[in-house]
């Protein structure tokens, strides 16, 4: 397998996010702290961001209606609420699908230095937001998922 460390890190982050979101309803995913984003916004943001990563790796677009996603979840956009957010289950379906494809492709593809930097940034970005999701889980009253 190529890019073993990168593939392993992306897979671990995907698993951690799934654990952190287990038992979270769409409504709960839209709750946030004062001045912060919700779990729904964070996950939508990760999905919208993954499209740019796919494109930089020379892969075809994965997300239908990316303009809708960007309008809701691009960096600097306002937090979503349960009235305008994409349902968490749809976000997770797209997240899991794109990550499975990315993990498969990274396991097969040789990456040049520029693409390695892009994927390394993606991994850092996702790990950062995964930590936020873990904290927000506790903010809304759920037990820690990772023990």
């Amino acid at each position: 397998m190529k890019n073993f460390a990168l593939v392993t890190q992306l897979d671990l982050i995907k698993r951690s996010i799934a654990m952190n979101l287990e038992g979270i309803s769409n409504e709960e995913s839209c709750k946030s702290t004062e001045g912060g984003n919700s779990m729904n916004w964070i996950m939508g943001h990760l999905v919208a961001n993954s499209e740019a990563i796919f494109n930089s790796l020379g892969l075809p677009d994965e997300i239908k209606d990316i303009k809708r996603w960007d309008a809701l979840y691009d960096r600097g956009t306002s937090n979503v609420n349960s009235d305008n957010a994409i349902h968490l289950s749809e976000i997770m379906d797209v997240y899991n699908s794109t990550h499975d494809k990315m993990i498969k492709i990274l396991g097969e593809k040789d990456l040049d230095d520029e693409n390695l930097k892009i994927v390394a940034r993606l991994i850092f970005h996702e790990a950062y937001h995964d930590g936020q999701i873990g904290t927000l889980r506790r903010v809304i009253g759920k037990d820690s998922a990772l023990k």
Side-chain angles (χ1 to χ4, degrees), residues 3 5-10 13 46 49 53-54 56-57 99 102 106 111-129:
N3 305 301
L6 299 175
V7 168
T8 301
Q9 290 173 334
L10 280 172
I13 292 167
L46 292 179
N49 187 65
I53 302 300
F54 264 67
S56 71
L57 294 174
H99 267 64
M102 193 176 307
L106 288 173
L111 299 180
D112 61 22
D113 287 346
E114 187 58 33
N115 282 331
L116 283 170
K117 284 193 322 191
I118 290 167
V119 174
R121 284 186 198 125
L122 165 75
I123 290 169
F124 173 81
H125 182 243
E126 293 215 350
Y128 173 83
H129 285 306

Side-chain angles (χ1 to χ4, degrees), residues 11-24:
D11 185 56
L12 288 170
I13 292 167
K14 182 181 168 211
R15 289 181 197 196
S16 175
I17 285 173
M19 291 171 69
N20 277 323
L21 291 174
E22 186 160 340
I24 303 294

